[in-house]
Amino acid sequence: MSSSARLAAIRAQLNPTSLFSSAASSQTQKTPTMSIPSTQKAVIIETTGGPEVLQFMTDYPVPTPQEGQLLVKNNIAGINYIDTYFRTGLYPSPKPEILGREGAGTVVALGPGPNPYNFKVGDRVAWLNTGGYAEYTAVPAAKTVKIPDGISDEEAIAGFLSGLTVLTLAKESYPVKKGEWVLLHAAAGGAGFLMTQVLKSIGAKVIGTAGGPEKVELVKSLGADVVIDYRSEEGKDWVKKVKEVTGGEGVSVVYDSVGKDTWEGSLEAVKRKGTIIWFGNASGPVPNIQLTRLSPKCVKIARPTLFGYIETREEFEFYVNELFKLLKSRQLKVKIHKVYPLEDAAQAQRDLEGRKTTGKLLLKP
Ligand SMILES: NC(=O)c1ccc[n+]([C@@H]2O[C@H](COP(=O)([O-])OP(=O)(O)OC[C@H]3O[C@@H](n4cnc5c(N)ncnc54)[C@H](OP(=O)(O)O)[C@@H]3O)[C@@H](O)[C@H]2O)c1
């Protein structure tokens, strides 16, 4: 497809009206407006594949916010492992697509109709949805919140999707109790770095796994009780180590976001009547499993996703308030691996998939 035909297809997918026509003009009576260009820088994918399918464009149409939406000028966007699942097609999604599930920036326009959350142009907000690898994103107001003073945009996004996820994992997927042994894989990653802190704050005894000595040191510095380098010769038999540490019993809960490579070990490492929370596929999806495999130890398995826990505005605000309290008080620390310029989105995904990162990757539009 030629570049102009491609753009025409993209435009047809987006709302064809200009920001300065119907939706925006209905706002001009009530809210101040900001100058909004008709095109922007964005990273799009047209097909599934490796990081090379990410295309940096400088003339991508700026979307028009529809009813229930806000147009946000992104100051920062988050990069999450889930972005790679949509890129590879592991998770199906319509193409062309702008990846990126979260961002922080300034509200520059409101869609027409009711404004139940009282947003106004100029608000500094964080949002969860899709389309973050861009300068401008039209986002649902229901999944957008104002960022409190005392938390920067970078801090908010370093903790937003990942932080909300770990709060739901520790409170709802499996309500972790003080004194319990917990096994957390990829403990130095974006979600892992925050989860280790949340688990320790509850008073759990944490066994973290991480690849390489630097990552191990990082997880230890967060207070994890035992950290295993599961890529080292010694740490390869991490199940044995987990059994040793827990007096042969195994752990009450395994938080497994690595998937394919750790799955069998996680089944072995969980104790009788224990729980496995499978919440990601960093090494690939877990193979099909015969449920009868769970019966000898009466094991429970859950496969949660953040968006399932924050569907209603009440649920969303509950977890956001909790998260912002922790971030503002610095009880929950964030770690930013690197802020990549928008045009380096492909490199950022390479680094993430290459296991070269700790903490959170951010993108600067
Ligand atoms: N269910 C949900 O709602 C939800 C929400 C957020 C995140 N997640 C999941 O949580 C996980 C972490 O996400 P994140 O964005 O914070 O990423 P991340 O943890 O920063 O990066 C993934 C980490 O997984 C580990 N890993 C193990 N085997 C790997 C392999 N074969 N290839 C690549 N990495 C491998 C690596 O750490 P080591 O080098 O230490 O092994 C790597 O750094 C992902 O699986 C993601 O899908 C799920």
Side-chain angles (χ1 to χ4, degrees), residues 9-23:
I10 294 165
R11 281 201 176 91
Q13 264 214 339
L14 294 164
N15 188 297
T17 54
S18 145
L19 249 188
F20 300 101
S21 61
S22 59

Side-chain angles (χ1 to χ4, degrees), residues 79-83 85 91 161-162 165-166 168-169 185-193 209-212 215 230-231 256-259 261-262 278-284 303-309 351-361:
I79 297 179
N80 292 286
Y81 220 92
I82 194 172
D83 303 345
Y85 307 149
Y91 292 177
L161 186 149
S162 310
T165 300
V166 307
T168 63
L169 290 177
H185 290 304
F193 182 84
T209 62
K215 291 188 181 186
Y230 55 3
R231 295 184 83 181
D256 190 337
S257 66
V258 171
D261 291 353
T262 43
W278 168 38
F279 71 102
N281 326 282
S283 66
R303 204 324 181 177
T305 162
L306 166 64
F307 289 87
Y309 287 126
D351 292 349
L352 185 63
E353 291 176 296
R355 307 173 77 162
K356 290 181 182 151
T357 67
T358 54
K360 185 87 178 190
L361 285 66

